[in-house]
Amino acid sequence: MISSTTVLKITALLNGAASTTAFSLPTTAFNVRPSTSLSMSAALIVQNKGGGHGELGFQLAKNLSSNPKITSITILQDSACKDSKEPFCSYATDIPNVRVVKANLADESMTAADMQTLLGGGEAFEYVWDNASKGAEGTAGKAIIDSAKNWNSKLLTYVSSAGIYKPNGVFPMPETTPVKDSAGQVLYEKYAIENGLPFVSFRPQYIYGEKSNKWDYIDWYFDRLVRGQP
């Protein structure tokens, strides 16, 4: 599982050093680049329609808002989100200086040119966090990768999924666990690496947090866990 506090580790990673790697891919596919650090840069967070991913993107935007080296933050928000629910209803109060642009991120016909038009013709982003795409095909994922390449982004960070692993009886599962080659997230990682992008992929199993919209059933599980119930 990954909680919203993990965004602190993510931003710490970026403030320190990050190399281009996607876990569990053959070493011949790795693109090792020099370390990078945040330096007066524009950030783009591609945000999905809710759930744990919505929480993660929201908390990331809050943390980056307090970083003086980030000059601007834009959330490219999936238009399928419900504005009346968390975390979206907290955008105006909690991250008022973050620009929000809505788009249909399920549109597989979207191109890098389309994305550039949505974000503004002269916009470019040094740091891109894709917190929405389920793959490089069938969604806007390919357009995001292509855009990051066009912008010569310093780092593309991707929130993948631990669901791509093929369990082999070893627990806890190491990052070297075999993956499903046909999984959309695996194909996204491969496409990003093939394009030579500085790239980091996170593979969370379950994301929860203060505004994740999951407390109606999460509370039930945690109540039983703390009481030693099955």
Side-chain angles (χ1 to χ4, degrees), residues 134-136 163-165 179-189:
K134 303 300 183 185
I164 67 175
Y165 289 118
V179 298
K180 305 167 187 173
D181 293 334
S182 61
Q185 292 91 341
V186 171
L187 297 178
Y188 182 106
E189 294 173 352

Side-chain angles (χ1 to χ4, degrees), residues 11 14-15 36-41 64 67 69-70 127 129 154:
T11 51
L14 296 175
N15 274 304
T36 184
S37 61
L38 297 175
S39 57
M40 304 305 289
S41 302
L64 290 177
N67 190 314
K69 294 183 179 180
I70 295 293
Y127 295 93
W129 285 267
K154 295 178 180 178

